[in-house]
Amino acid sequence: MYQLSFSLQEFLSEYWQKKPVIIKGGFENFQDPVTPEELAGLTLESDVDSRFVSNLNNEWKAEHGPLSEELFDTLGETNWSIIVQAANHWHEGAAELFKPFKQMPNWLFDDIMISYSVPDGGVGPHIDQYDVFIIQGQGKRHWRVGDIGEYEEEHRHGALKQITGFDPIIDQILEPGDILYIPPGFPHDGYALEPSMSYSAGFRSPKEQELVSNFADFIIENEKSDVHYHNPDLQAQTHGAEITTQSFEDLKAMMLNAMSDEQSLKQFMGEYLSNSRHHLNILPDSEKWTTEELLGYLQSGQALIKVAGVRAFYHETEACEDNMTLYVDGESYVFPLAVKNDVIALCETSEFTLLDIENLLQDPHSVSNLLQFVNIGYWFVESEEDEE
Ligand code: SIN
Ligand code: CO
C-alpha cells in the first residue's frame, strides 16, 4: 500500500500549478510495483502505448511500440529508455500508484507512465502540458528543471519534442521514494545515473478550446440547439452590409443560450471527462450474462472487479432531485438518488461484492445498468482474471 509522507492539501496550496518541487522521501520505503522485465514485456504488446528512445553519442533515436524482442537483443548498457503510457491500465501494481492521489479530483487524472532507463538514458530537455508527479523507483536519476517561459524547440528527432536547453532552478538527484512535481510549462530533463525506474502520475487539465469544440460535437450528436435564427420583426437597413448591434446581440444570445443549458452541460462534462484517453484492457467477446446470472454470481459472495483505468464519475449536484447520473467511460447511466452510496462505491472501489451494493440490487433499473457494465466488460468476474 502506497502512502504519501506529506499532506496533499498543503502540497496543493503551496505548489500545485505554481512551482516545481522535489519532495525527498515522498514515499517511505518505496517498493517498485513493476520490474524492468515486466515493463519490457508490456512494450511488446500491440494494445499498449509505448516508446523506445536512445541517445548514444548524442544521436537521438525514437521508436513507437510495439517494440520487438530483436530490438532488446541489440541494446547496450547505456543511453536508452523504454516508456509505457497508461501502465496502470495493464498492470495491477502500476494501478496501485494512483491510490495515494485519489483525494485529487479523479477527472483530472490521466495515467501512470512508467519509464526504465539505463545510465545516461533519458528523453532530453522538453516541456509537458501536464502536471506530473515523477516518483523515483529503483536506481538514481539526475533531474534538472527550469523556470516557466519561452524556449526554442530543437528537432533532433521527429518523434521527440525537445527544446534547446534551459537554466535549472532545480538540479538534484532523485533516489527511491523521492517525488519530483512539475507543473505544465516548466522545462525538464532527467538522466539515469543507474538502471532506473520512474513512475509519472500525470494530471491533465482540459483546454478551454477543447471543451468548447467537444461541447459543439455533443450538441450536434444529441440534436440539441437545432434551431435557426428567427426574427419576424426584421427591419429594412440603410446599409445592408451592416451587421447591426441588435443582430449581433441576438446571435450572441443564441450561442450563449446553447452554452448555458445546465442539464446539457452537466451531461456533456460527465460524458467527456469520463472518456478514457487510453485503451482499456477489456476482454473482447466475453459471454453476455442475464440478470439472473449476474444476481446468482453476486449472491454466491464473489466479487466483480473493475477494469483498471475505467473512469466513473458523478456530479455533486443534479438538476433532477430523484435521480443521479453515473458517467462511465463516456456514457450516462441514470440511478435513483436513493442508491447514491452504492454508486459511489462503484466509483471508488476497485472491486465490489453484494454487501457493497445491497440497496442498488433492490432496484431493477439499477440492476440493468449493472448488467450493462458487466456485459460491456467494465467489471469482470474473479475467475476470468485467474485464467489470464
Ligand atoms: C521519463 O520518465 O523518461 C520522462 C518523464 C518526463 O520527463 O516527462
Ligand atoms: Co516530461
Side-chain angles (χ1 to χ4, degrees):
M1 193 65 194
Y2 295 102
Q3 226 171 353
L4 300 174
S5 67
F6 57 95
S7 146
L8 190 59
Q9 186 50 57
E10 280 169 29
F11 161 83
L12 292 175
S13 318
E14 184 80 14
Y15 299 105
W16 178 255
Q17 300 200 329
K18 300 172 200 67
K19 56 188 176 203
V21 63
I22 286 182
I23 306 164
K24 288 296 289 176
F27 286 98
E28 279 163 28
N29 308 317
F30 184 82
Q31 304 284 327
D32 284 85
V34 180
T35 64
E37 292 74 24
E38 284 176 308
L39 196 70
L42 286 174
T43 66
L44 305 176
E45 308 261 347
S46 59
D47 285 340
V48 178
D49 188 2
S50 66
R51 275 181 301 157
F52 166 80
V53 179
S54 70
N55 62 344
L56 195 58
N57 304 322
N58 209 26
E59 203 183 299
W60 288 87
K61 290 192 188 132
E63 210 177 293
H64 279 281
L67 306 178
S68 64
E69 305 245 12
E70 293 78 63
L71 170 79
F72 284 99
D73 293 340
T74 64
L75 294 177
E77 283 178 14
T78 65
N79 297 90
W80 57 266
S81 298
I82 49 172
I83 299 155
V84 171
Q85 310 274 356
N88 53 311
H89 289 210
W90 306 101
H91 190 289
E92 240 174 79
E96 286 291 307
L97 276 180
F98 170 65
K99 292 193 176 157
F101 298 100
K102 68 177 198 274
Q103 298 325 117
M104 298 280 294
N106 290 188
W107 60 266
L108 278 172
F109 175 64
D110 189 57
D111 72 333
I112 303 279
M113 181 186 97
I114 307 182
S115 70
Y116 171 72
S117 303
V118 294
D120 293 325
V123 299
H126 67 280
I127 296 176
D128 295 314
Q129 296 311 319
Y130 288 66
D131 289 271
V132 64
F133 297 88
I134 301 177
I135 303 153
Q136 181 66 37
Q138 71 167 66
K140 290 184 183 162
R141 191 155 170 170
H142 183 179
W143 281 97
R144 295 180 317 120
V145 184
D147 211 345
I148 196 162
E150 294 290 317
Y151 292 93
E152 211 176 307
E153 284 184 22
E154 164 114 30
H155 294 279
R156 294 189 183 110
H157 189 284
L160 298 168
K161 289 200 183 108
Q162 295 183 339
I163 55 171
T164 47
F166 57 85
D167 294 325
I169 54 173
I170 287 178
D171 188 338
Q172 218 171 310
I173 292 166
L174 249 57
E175 296 175 306
D178 294 346
I179 301 177
L180 167 59
Y181 162 72
I182 311 173
F186 286 74
H188 53 279
D189 196 5
Y191 286 94
L193 300 174
E194 301 168 351
S196 157
M197 293 285 279
S198 301
Y199 303 87
S200 301
F203 290 80
R204 183 179 181 282
S205 298
K207 273 191 184 179
E208 189 172 301
Q209 57 167 226
E210 155 194 341
L211 291 178
V212 173
S213 96
N214 281 282
F215 183 61
D217 293 341
F218 170 87
I219 58 179
I220 292 167
E221 274 161 30
N222 290 275
E223 295 177 12
K224 294 180 189 274
S225 297
D226 192 11
V227 285
H228 285 273
Y229 170 62
H230 176 72
N231 182 5
D233 299 324
L234 200 69
Q235 306 288 313
Q237 298 183 187
T238 312
H239 301 293
E242 192 173 75
I243 302 165
T244 63
T245 305
Q246 189 56 53
S247 303
F248 167 76
E249 290 298 338
D250 289 348
L251 295 169
K252 185 172 111 182
M254 274 178 87
M255 292 182 71
L256 294 180
N257 182 46
M259 298 281 292
S260 64
D261 177 37
E262 193 79 2
Q263 200 149 356
S264 297
L265 283 172
K266 282 222 155 126
Q267 187 188 342
F268 159 68
M269 278 180 209
E271 292 180 0
Y272 184 65
L273 298 174
S274 68
N275 237 325
S276 176
R277 297 167 60 84
H278 306 278
H279 278 138
L280 293 169
N281 186 11
I282 288 183
L283 297 176
D285 59 54
S286 48
E287 243 175 73
K288 304 287 177 250
W289 270 6
T290 61
T291 307
E292 290 66 37
E293 284 168 319
L294 170 65
L295 294 176
Y297 177 80
L298 288 170
Q299 275 150 9
S300 75
Q302 286 175 282
L304 281 168
I305 301 163
K306 196 198 275 163
V307 165
V310 166
R311 296 164 78 84
F313 306 140
Y314 58 93
H315 286 291
E316 183 180 5
T317 53
E318 297 252 8
C320 169
E321 285 177 5
D322 302 331
N323 293 328
M324 68 176 296
T325 309
L326 176 64
Y327 301 94
V328 184
D329 194 34
E331 299 285 338
S332 306
Y333 302 87
V334 177
F335 288 84
L337 201 54
V339 306
K340 184 167 182 172
N341 286 340
D342 293 9
V343 170
I344 294 175
L346 294 181
C347 293
E348 295 191 341
T349 58
S350 49
E351 59 176 81
F352 67 85
T353 65
L354 175 112
L355 298 176
D356 300 305
I357 56 159
E358 273 174 317
N359 272 332
L360 191 150
L361 293 176
Q362 305 305 312
D363 174 53
H365 180 73
S366 300
V367 171
S368 86
N369 284 339
L370 201 61
L371 185 66
Q372 272 200 63
F373 297 153
V374 175
N375 283 338
I376 294 171
Y378 296 141
W379 276 265
F380 57 92
V381 304
E382 281 175 303
S383 55
E384 270 182 46
E385 192 196 35
D386 298 340
E387 274 163 26
E388 270 192 50

